[in-house]
Amino acid sequence: MSQKRALTQLYVYYDGACPICRRDRARYEQWAGETGDSVTWCDLSEYGEHLHAIGVDPDVALLSLHLEDAEGRLYEGIDAYVLLMKRVPRLRPAAFAMALPGVKPVLTAVYKRWVRRRLAREGRLPS
């Protein structure tokens, strides 16, 4: 009889005011199935005090996905996406590719530029 390994809880700090972010969260939850139970989604607008307590400026968190594991380790940007995506079988190949040394810096630059443009367009870009 095989025994399933329990997944540690992940806390994902995301921009709940962003329609794309909400859509991506819903898609993740759908694809993750039961694995999704090990992920707690935390809307930045409700977790400002906690973010400050763990050393993350909420304005900085608005600019990039942040993730905290059960041991309190923080992951940001592409590293956070990779950790999250590794939990979903259909996303594992993309997570592997995203973490490659030549790919990660390019994705990081593109992601940061996209987020800044989106927030500027919405009038929510932190100063």
Side-chain angles (χ1 to χ4, degrees):
M1 179 187 291
S2 69
Q3 186 177 15
K4 278 187 171 179
R5 193 178 88 198
L7 294 172
T8 61
Q9 194 69 25
L10 298 178
Y11 302 89
V12 180
Y13 302 97
Y14 77 107
D15 182 3
C18 166
I20 295 167
C21 303
R22 290 191 313 268
R23 184 192 69 216
D24 288 348
R25 172 190 169 178
R27 184 177 300 132
Y28 180 89
E29 289 174 329
Q30 178 185 9
W31 289 348
E34 289 181 17
T35 303
D37 295 342
S38 67
V39 176
T40 300
W41 296 90
C42 306
D43 186 333
L44 294 173
S45 67
E46 300 172 16
Y47 283 82
E49 285 184 35
H50 177 73
L51 288 167
H52 275 297
I54 62 172
V56 177
D57 182 325
D59 285 344
V60 172
L62 188 61
L63 295 169
S64 183
L65 185 72
H66 282 70
L67 185 150
E68 180 181 11
D69 68 15
E71 288 78 39
R73 288 182 295 248
L74 294 172
Y75 301 83
E76 186 263 331
I78 298 303
D79 291 330
Y81 279 103
V82 167
L83 186 59
L84 190 59
M85 292 169 67
K86 281 182 177 179
R87 295 201 172 195
V88 180
R90 71 170 27 170
L91 297 176
R92 282 186 195 133
F96 174 79
M98 289 170 68
L100 291 172
V103 175
K104 185 177 168 183
V106 173
L107 284 179
T108 298
V110 169
Y111 173 71
K112 286 183 177 186
R113 185 174 33 235
W114 177 82
V115 170
R116 292 186 74 75
R117 283 183 178 167
R118 175 182 62 81
L119 291 170
R121 194 173 48 248
E122 297 169 357
R124 299 188 309 126
L125 183 63
S127 42

